[in-house]
């Protein structure tokens, strides 16, 4: 008697059987061939810490369809898989498991901590690959890469050096998103903005020559007033014309600051006069550069106020906010408090409120890179569906800021930059040696007192390199 067909489809039986058959017969393997036309897709490497989500299911299905379609048409098709070391994400996972034993990464030191992460990766890093197989993804698994592999790391360093030589990478001081808990810089994309119910605080700054006269400024972060180095008004604002150029006394610290005129000031916001804190706000930073103001950073990397914050030093930023307000209230310089909705950046890994923070970092110049990406869309070579996204895309590309690529974490590709102590002692900006390996001596002064940059690269920088065939070290892959 014929076996009856099961009434229900059993994916477990079917999918496992067929995936095994495909793998056993090496149906996804690609060999270099001069007869067949090549067709290759590099997978956007999923995070090694991750599990697949709906977004992966969608984009991997599309890639699989393209690969299988071309394979059936006789192309030499390769779907190149890999996983991403996922800098902060992985570091946080391992930090959390250490915390259960009452340990911090600093207790272990860099080398032991990195060894712990590798251990974690060996134990858990294959989850996402197993899941991709469950989806039926037809990758050539024999070629699987990990972004921290030696050959891949070398390619990342090569890409950095190539961009540096083209003057597309530079080091500089700028306001970046800083996570006081992770104690690292974050890119704009890594600081997720959340709408919060906050307050707008109106602070009164007395005039030096007439302490009974004030200019009021509105702020959402009153503790940063300790770093104010000017008050700005719009030159067209009739309310403040006579004050331009006059001196104010910054309360609590009794610092003299000037009233400056700048057309960037929005006359409609708050009182129309704004405090300028060049070391703690990106717009104020630009204003500070333009008007040659002093940059006073009043916060330590852990989010506590530093010695420049006077008697508030040592207080956590939010405690300092309360203390500053309390004191201003006591001396009659807190005019009023208004409820105010505001959008606040949060660290995408630990949800701590990020701080716009002035620090020395490495950046990629984005304008020259965005130009061709704008051109192809404007010329219609690349089209958006639905079309309305064209505007969103162009708006993004045309206003793009330089990308902060350095991270103050331990897990990742160390930046391939060395410093010569001798050259630096003469000129702090000098003494940079860009090199894949540690140079024996400084090419300028022959000193051997050389140390490597401590910062590592943003994960997105190295994951992005995977898409530049020139830098993926493919020459080193056998077969
Ligand atoms: Zn964080
Ligand atoms: Zn030197």
């Amino acid at each position: 008697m014929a076996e009856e067909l099961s009434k229900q489809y059993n994916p477990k039986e079917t999918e496992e059987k067929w995936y095994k058959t495909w793998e056993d017969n090496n149906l996804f393997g690609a060999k270099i061939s001069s007869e067949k036309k090549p067709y290759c897709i590099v997978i956007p490497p999923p995070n090694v810490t991750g599990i697949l989500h709906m977004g992966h299911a969608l984009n991997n299905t599309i890639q699989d369809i393209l690969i299988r379609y071309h394979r059936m048409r006789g192309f030499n098709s390769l779907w190149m898989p890999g996983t991403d070391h996922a800098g902060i994400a992985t570091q946080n996972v391992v930090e959390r498991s250490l915390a259960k034993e009452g340990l911090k990464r600093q207790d272990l030191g860099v080398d032991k901590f990195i060894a712990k992460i590798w251990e974690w990766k060996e134990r858990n890093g294959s989850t996402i690959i197993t899941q991709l197989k469950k989806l039926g993804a037809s990758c050539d698994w024999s070629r699987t890469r990990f972004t921290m592999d030696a050959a891949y790391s070398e390619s990342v360093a090569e890409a950095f050096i190539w961009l540096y030589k083209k003057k597309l990478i530079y080091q500089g001081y700028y306001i970046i998103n800083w996570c006081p808990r992770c104690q690292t810089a974050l890119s704009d994309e890594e600081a997720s903005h959340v709408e919060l119910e906050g307050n707008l605080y109106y602070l009164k700054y007395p005039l030096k020559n007439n302490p009974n006269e004030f200019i009021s400024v509105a702020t959402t972060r009153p503790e940063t007033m300790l770093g104010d180095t000017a008050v700005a008004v719009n030159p067209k604002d009739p309310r403040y014309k006579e004050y331009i150029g006059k001196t104010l006394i910054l309360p609590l610290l009794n610092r003299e600051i000037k009233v400056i005129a700048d057309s960037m000031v929005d006359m409609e916001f708050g009182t129309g006069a704004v405090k300028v804190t060049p070391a703690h706000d990106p717009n104020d930073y630009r204003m500070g550069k333009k008007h040659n103001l002093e940059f006073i950073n009043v916060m330590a990397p852990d989010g506590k106020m530093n010695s420049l914050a006077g008697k508030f030093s040592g207080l956590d930023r939010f405690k300092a906010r309360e203390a500053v307000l309390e004191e201003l209230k006591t001396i009659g310089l807190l005019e009023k408090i208004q409820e105010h909705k505001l959008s606040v950046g949060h660290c995408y890994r630990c949800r701590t409120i990020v701080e716009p923070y002035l620090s020395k970092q490495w950046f990629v110049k984005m304008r020259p890179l965005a130009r061709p990406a704008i051109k192809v869309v404007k010329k219609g070579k690349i089209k958006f569906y639905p079309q309305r996204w064209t505007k969103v895309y162009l708006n993004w590309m045309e206003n793009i800021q330089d990308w902060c690529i350095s991270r103050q974490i331990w897990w990742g590709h160390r930046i391939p930059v060395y410093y010569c102590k001798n050259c630096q002692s003469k000129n702090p900006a000098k003494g940079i040696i860009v090199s894949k390996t540690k140079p024996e001596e400084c090419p300028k002064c022959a000193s051997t007192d050389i140390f490597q940059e401590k910062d590592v690269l943003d994960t997105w920088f190295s994951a992005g390199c995977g898409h530049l065939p020139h830098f993926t070290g493919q020459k080193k892959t056998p077969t």
Side-chain angles (χ1 to χ4, degrees):
M1 207 171 83
E3 201 183 326
E4 215 171 294
L5 202 60
S6 157
K7 282 201 178 66
Q8 263 178 334
Y9 169 61
N10 183 349
K12 200 170 165 24
E13 231 170 54
T14 319
E15 289 178 7
E16 264 176 30
K17 182 179 109 190
W18 285 109
Y19 204 87
K20 193 174 175 305
T21 310
W22 292 339
E23 275 205 301
D24 288 349
N25 290 288
N26 193 29
L27 297 182
F28 312 145
K31 281 199 179 72
I32 290 176
S33 149
S34 52
E35 281 135 45
K36 286 180 173 178
K37 255 190 162 173
Y39 184 83
C40 179
I41 296 178
V42 179
I43 207 165
N47 280 0
V48 71
T49 51
I51 47 169
L52 293 184
H53 52 66
M54 284 308 283
H56 288 117
L58 172 66
N59 85 51
N60 286 308
T61 303
I62 294 170
Q63 292 172 72
D64 204 13
I65 290 170
L66 288 168
I67 282 286
R68 285 173 186 264
Y69 173 61
H70 283 86
R71 201 179 278 130
M72 286 190 287
R73 288 173 69 205
F75 281 76
N76 188 19
S77 301
L78 165 65
W79 190 5
M80 174 73 200
T83 48
D84 188 332
H85 66 284
I88 299 183
T90 315
Q91 177 158 325
N92 278 4
V93 168
V94 177
E95 276 185 302
R96 274 200 293 273
S97 83
L98 279 182
K100 283 182 198 146
E101 300 165 41
L103 290 171
K104 282 198 195 121
R105 68 178 148 122
Q106 287 82 358
D107 298 327
L108 269 73
V110 179
D111 295 341
K112 279 195 183 149
F113 182 71
I114 298 285
K116 275 260 177 232
I117 296 186
W118 277 107
E119 255 173 51
W120 180 91
K121 190 250 168 192
E122 295 314 321
R123 265 200 319 272
N124 307 292
S126 57
T127 308
I128 204 143
I129 298 283
T130 313
Q131 291 183 326
L132 279 169
K133 288 182 179 178
K134 280 264 180 258
L135 280 182
S138 67
C139 300
D140 183 354
W141 300 111
S142 69
R143 294 175 187 260
T144 307
R145 286 269 178 160
F146 179 51
T147 51
M148 287 293 281
D149 286 346
Y152 196 101
S153 301
E154 201 189 323
S155 307
V156 171
E158 225 172 273
F160 180 97
I161 294 166
W162 184 77
L163 288 162
Y164 181 83
K165 286 190 176 153
K166 288 202 166 286
K167 298 201 173 3
L168 288 166
I169 284 182
Y170 64 93
Q171 188 183 39
Y173 282 94
Y174 192 68
I175 300 270
I176 43 86
N177 301 298
W178 180 263
C179 174
R181 198 217 65 91
C182 299
Q183 298 213 12
T184 179
L186 300 169
S187 72
D188 290 345
E189 284 67 32
E190 291 167 328
S192 14
H193 282 262
V194 181
E195 188 125 309
L196 293 181
E197 304 287 340
N199 288 316
L200 201 51
Y201 304 91
Y202 288 75
L203 320 178
K204 283 156 76 176
Y205 292 1
L207 257 80
K208 186 187 172 194
N209 293 332
N210 182 7
N212 295 319
E213 210 181 336
F214 308 94
I215 286 187
S216 291
V217 294
T219 177
T220 56
R221 292 186 295 147
E223 68 283 7
T224 63
M225 62 85 65
L226 301 166
D228 284 2
T229 53
V231 162
V233 297
N234 194 303
K236 288 198 191 115
D237 194 334
R239 294 171 293 178
Y240 297 109
K241 266 217 156 84
E242 57 173 309
Y243 295 102
I244 296 167
K246 292 214 164 137
T247 304
L248 302 171
I249 300 294
L250 183 71
L252 310 180
L253 294 177
N254 296 324
R255 184 161 61 232
E256 293 189 1
I257 58 174
K258 283 254 186 301
V259 179
I260 59 167
D262 194 300
S263 51
M264 257 170 74
V265 176
D266 176 4
M267 288 191 264
E268 307 297 316
F269 180 79
T271 60
V274 294
K275 64 196 267 312
V276 186
T277 326
H280 290 276
D281 180 273
N283 289 326
D284 294 9
Y285 174 88
R286 282 192 279 276
M287 223 186 266
K289 281 271 172 202
K290 197 164 137 197
H291 297 275
N292 221 351
L293 300 173
E294 216 183 325
F295 287 68
I296 304 180
N297 187 344
V298 291
M299 219 175 272
D302 61 358
K304 290 198 174 100
M305 308 310 283
N306 65 23
S307 61
L308 295 173
K311 63 172 164 187
F312 302 97
S313 95
L315 285 182
D316 175 77
R317 52 189 170 150
F318 298 120
K319 283 265 173 280
R321 178 174 299 178
E322 286 167 30
V324 162
L325 288 169
E326 195 52 51
E327 187 124 357
L328 285 171
K329 198 174 156 193
T330 313
I331 53 174
L333 295 180
L334 177 62
E335 192 179 283
K336 59 177 172 178
I337 303 175
Q338 244 175 22
E339 282 178 5
H340 180 74
K341 271 203 178 83
L342 67 164
S343 164
V344 180
H346 290 67
C347 170
Y348 82 131
R349 285 303 164 197
C350 77
R351 313 308 305 159
T352 299
I353 291 183
V354 300
E355 198 63 34
Y357 193 69
L358 183 69
S359 85
K360 195 183 193 182
Q361 303 287 345
W362 289 89
F363 297 89
V364 172
K365 253 187 221 161
M366 292 309 292
R367 296 260 156 156
L369 295 175
R371 234 172 273 138
I374 292 168
K375 209 168 138 190
V376 286
V377 172
K378 282 198 166 162
K379 286 201 157 172
K381 252 182 120 177
I382 290 177
K383 290 192 180 76
F384 277 89
Y385 299 94
Q387 216 210 331
R388 64 192 155 90
W389 288 101
T390 314
K391 220 176 134 191
V392 177
Y393 169 82
L394 287 175
N395 186 40
W396 174 36
M397 283 294 131
E398 280 162 359
N399 295 296
I400 202 153
Q401 300 286 324
D402 286 354
W403 171 23
C404 175
I405 52 165
S406 41
R407 296 289 179 274
Q408 290 67 48
I409 56 173
W410 291 352
W411 176 240
H413 301 107
R414 285 272 290 274
I415 291 179
V417 164
Y418 295 82
Y419 300 100
C420 165
K421 271 196 184 158
N422 179 43
C423 286
Q424 272 194 329
S425 67
K426 288 166 198 154
N427 180 348
K430 290 272 155 68
I432 289 178
I433 312 159
V434 176
S435 167
K436 265 200 278 190
T437 51
K438 190 176 179 181
E440 303 238 319
E441 56 177 41
C442 170
K444 285 178 204 138
C445 73
S447 159
T448 53
D449 200 0
I450 289 167
F451 63 98
Q452 190 175 359
E453 170 66 66
K454 279 203 176 70
D455 291 357
V456 303
L457 286 164
D458 177 9
T459 290
W460 306 99
F461 181 88
S462 44
C465 290
H467 296 268
L468 306 171
H470 181 57
F471 298 116
T472 45
Q474 281 176 0
K475 275 175 287 179
K476 293 176 191 76
T477 311
T479 62

